[in-house]
Amino acid sequence: MLIYTIKRALLATLVALTVSMLTFGLLHLSSDPAVALAGEDATEEDIQMVRVDYGFDKPLPVQYLAWLTKALQGDLGTSFYFNIPVSKLLQQRLPVTLTLGACSLVFAILSAVPLGVLAAMRPNTKLDRFCLTLAVSAQAMPAFWFGLMLIVVFCLWFPLLPVSGSDTWQHFVMPTIVVGTNAMPAIMRLTRTGMLDVLATDYIRTARAKGLRPKTVLLKHALRNAVIPVIAVIGVQAGYMMGGSVIIETVFGLNGLGLLAYESIMYFDLACMEAVVLLLCFVFIITTFAADIMNAWLDPRIRIG
């Protein structure tokens, strides 16, 4: 297990380094940051002065190495628009996004896994078709539209929840439902498929023939093996929740990383954009790494492969 963990950690580090290089290069090549910083009315001399002051005149690999060296020391630069250290901005905004992601993930798991198990226990019945229809509808529904509909219903028609902000737990109810509903279909369908495969195996029939209680067969024997691929997709969905929070945080006015990413793009805050994109990518890498380790712990065959 230790060797497998080390291998996956080295692979995750390599992916993180590659992502940092691609992110830095694409953001710098997309447009001239010196022109954006100097302003629309700046002269060529002003632009050149900004380029020299911020080091944009140096070759891109040199800029990347300088930025990476500072980033590894915790210095992510200073926000051009907010005029404060980017690390301080991330400290202020990250808890909101992590709270939204954690609540959404719990909501998605608690709703998708039971529905997938119920659908597998009654295949090709009305219950099964209802669960599949619910999953397809949730996946086809645009997240921003669903969020706006929730605002109309629970803020205008029935004023039960606040429209925007992140001060109390009530502010996270609607965003959690939206983000969790978006992740629910993949988890539910994979749970259903895994349960159908496991319930048809010989050892499940043997467990039933021994007279074990249906609850024991379902939870201890069937679900434990069916959940292995589900854990992998949960790790991926957790990363998507963090990255996909940009639109949802903008719709609900949550002061998190998603809204910070939107503001950074609007004002071309290069240092802030680099930090937010990399942080979201790293969270995605960490969640998938954790899912791989958990799968290896549940199924020793994965470690051997």
Side-chain angles (χ1 to χ4, degrees):
M1 185 69 184
L2 179 60
I3 296 176
Y4 178 82
T5 303
I6 294 174
K7 288 181 179 179
R8 300 303 299 180
L10 291 175
L11 180 60
T13 303
L14 182 61
V15 172
L17 184 63
T18 304
V19 168
S20 69
M21 287 189 291
L22 290 175
T23 302
F24 187 89
L26 290 175
L27 287 177
H28 278 259
L29 293 175
S30 60
S31 62
D32 191 346
V35 176
L37 289 176
E40 297 180 356
D41 300 330
T43 63
E44 187 62 32
E45 294 180 357
D46 295 333
I47 296 174
Q48 185 61 30
M49 187 180 300
V50 171
R51 188 175 287 115
V52 173
D53 290 341
Y54 286 92
F56 297 142
D57 58 326
K58 299 178 182 178
L60 194 59
V62 176
Q63 295 183 49
Y64 170 74
L65 289 176
W67 174 84
L68 182 62
T69 302
K70 293 181 179 179
L72 292 175
Q73 297 172 357
D75 182 8
L76 297 173
T78 302
S79 170
F80 303 146
Y81 177 73
F82 296 99
N83 199 28
I84 61 174
V86 174
S87 57
K88 186 175 181 180
L89 269 176
L90 296 181
Q91 291 175 4
Q92 296 172 353
R93 305 291 188 96
L94 183 59
V96 175
T97 301
L98 289 179
T99 301
L100 175 60
C103 294
S104 303
L105 186 62
V106 171
F107 175 81
I109 294 173
L110 293 181
S111 57
V113 173
L115 286 175
V117 173
L118 289 175
M121 292 174 62
R122 299 289 187 271
N124 302 320
T125 62
K126 290 183 179 180
L127 178 61
D128 186 21
R129 288 192 289 270
F130 169 77
C131 293
L132 290 176
T133 301
L134 187 64
V136 172
S137 302
Q139 190 164 19
M141 186 167 47
F144 71 91
W145 179 86
F146 186 34
L148 293 175
M149 291 302 101
L150 289 181
I151 291 176
V152 171
V153 174
F154 293 106
C155 298
L156 297 180
W157 294 354
F158 305 99
L160 301 175
L161 297 171
V163 178
S164 62
S166 54
D167 298 329
T168 63
W169 65 267
Q170 289 95 334
H171 291 90
F172 288 91
V173 173
M174 290 189 292
T176 295
I177 294 174
V178 174
V179 179
T181 301
N182 192 46
M184 184 184 68
I187 300 175
M188 198 220 78
R189 288 200 304 268
L190 197 57
T191 302
R192 176 185 178 274
T193 302
M195 286 295 296
L196 286 174
D197 293 339
V198 171
L199 290 174
T201 56
D202 292 335
Y203 71 87
I204 294 296
R205 285 193 289 265
T206 303
R208 287 171 174 169
K210 287 181 177 180
L212 296 179
R213 293 185 302 172
K215 183 178 179 180
T216 303
V217 175
L218 182 67
L219 298 179
K220 186 177 180 180
H221 297 280
L223 187 58
R224 176 184 174 87
N225 292 280
V227 81
I228 292 175
V230 177
I231 292 175
V233 79
I234 287 176
V236 175
Q237 289 296 327
Y240 281 142
M241 286 178 183
M242 296 290 291
S245 64
V246 175
I247 297 175
I248 303 306
E249 289 185 12
T250 304
V251 171
F252 290 99
L254 292 176
N255 201 24
L257 286 181
L259 186 59
L260 179 61
Y262 173 77
E263 293 169 341
S264 302
I265 295 171
M266 288 293 295
Y267 302 108
F268 198 77
D269 193 340
L270 185 62
C272 205
M273 279 193 292
E274 290 171 346
V276 171
V277 172
L278 286 174
L279 182 58
L280 293 177
C281 291
F282 289 163
V283 169
F284 186 88
I285 293 171
I286 291 171
T287 54
T288 53
F289 171 75
D292 289 341
I293 299 303
M294 187 171 292
N295 277 337
W297 176 71
L298 290 173
D299 189 354
R301 294 173 298 178
I302 298 177
R303 304 174 223 165
I304 299 174

